[in-house]
Amino acid sequence: MLDIEVIEDPAAAEASLDPIRTRILQELSEPASATQLAAKVGLPRQKVNYHLKSLERHGLVELVEERRKGNVTERVLRATAASYLISPVALASVAPDPRRFSDRFSAFWLLSLASRTVQEMGKLIAGAAVANKKLASFAIDGEITFRSAAERAAFAEELGVAVTKLVDKYHDGGATAVAGGARKHRLVVVLHPALKTPPIEHASSEKSAEKDHSND
């Protein structure tokens, strides 16, 4: 079972988005039969079997074993991955293209780069799995708080200069390097506002409780 599987086939993407099938995929993180699944999701076994056949046809579940119970053969299935991510390839005709944007401060360009990253990493992960090789990748994730828009702009400028210096230091795009087995790598650096988290209303709840208590 893969940790994450990137879905590129439009039909498979459509099948995975069905709420019932999404629940079945979630339950199939551990092997189970249609009878066992029916009890968990609260559906008749025949209906569960219908959804399982669709998921299996699209390569989202796999057969683990077959058990003989009297005159019946029970099939035990498992999801092919613990998590699924739909690649922009599944919506190729309307997928965002980074080449349409050139402004490095454009949120749409950032989103297009993220879309391309999902697409390319999906293919690379699949290829590495087939070759039984570890995929070389690196990422940094963190948060930084700026006191002003000017500080944010200054940080972005300095970060750009620093990354450019590193690229100039290590990049070798010559024919000799390529002939010697050098491997091109993709570098993407992003900076965007963090999502706002809803405020915790403990204080207001406590005040309301104190008010109610004083009215007793």
Side-chain angles (χ1 to χ4, degrees), residues 7-52:
I7 300 173
E8 295 187 344
D9 177 47
E14 183 179 359
S16 70
L17 290 172
D18 178 273
I20 296 174
R21 292 171 187 171
T22 299
R23 173 72 189 282
I24 289 174
L25 286 173
Q26 181 182 11
E27 294 293 344
L28 284 178
S29 58
E30 297 292 335
S33 66
T35 302
Q36 292 170 321
L37 282 171
K40 290 181 178 180
V41 301
L43 291 173
R45 183 176 58 82
Q46 292 82 356
K47 188 143 191 166
V48 170
N49 261 324
Y50 167 78
H51 290 297
L52 284 173

Side-chain angles (χ1 to χ4, degrees), residues 15-16 33 43 50 55 68 73 85 93 103 105 119 121-122 131 140 154 181 196 202 211:
S16 70
S33 66
L43 291 173
Y50 167 78
L55 291 171
R68 192 71 179 173
T73 300
L85 188 63
S93 61
D103 181 5
F105 294 102
Q119 178 180 338
M121 286 304 298
I140 296 176
K196 292 181 179 179
H202 288 319
K211 184 178 180 181

Side-chain angles (χ1 to χ4, degrees), residues 89-214:
V89 173
L91 298 170
S93 61
V94 290
D97 184 355
R99 292 172 297 183
R100 289 183 54 202
F101 309 96
S102 58
D103 181 5
R104 64 177 180 170
F105 294 102
S106 166
F108 298 108
W109 190 47
L110 189 157
L111 201 58
S112 296
L113 293 175
S115 171
R116 185 184 64 190
T117 299
V118 172
Q119 178 180 338
E120 293 183 351
M121 286 304 298
K123 291 183 180 296
L124 287 168
I125 289 172
V130 171
N132 196 27
K133 291 183 177 180
K134 186 177 180 180
L135 183 63
S137 62
F138 171 77
I140 296 176
D141 178 38
E143 292 186 358
I144 179 171
T145 302
F146 300 107
R147 284 172 293 197
S148 66
E151 280 197 358
R152 184 184 63 235
F155 174 84
E157 183 64 29
E158 287 186 43
L159 180 62
V161 171
V163 171
T164 300
K165 287 182 178 178
L166 279 172
V167 171
D168 289 342
K169 179 179 179 180
Y170 289 100
H171 175 60
D172 187 349
T176 304
V178 175
R183 177 72 184 268
K184 184 186 293 184
H185 286 68
R186 175 83 70 188
L187 173 66
V188 178
V189 179
V190 302
L191 175 69
H192 63 80
L195 291 174
K196 292 181 179 179
T197 55
I200 300 174
E201 299 181 356
H202 288 319
S204 59
S205 298
E206 289 174 1
K207 288 181 181 178
S208 178
E210 289 175 1
K211 184 178 180 181
D212 291 342
H213 181 72
S214 63

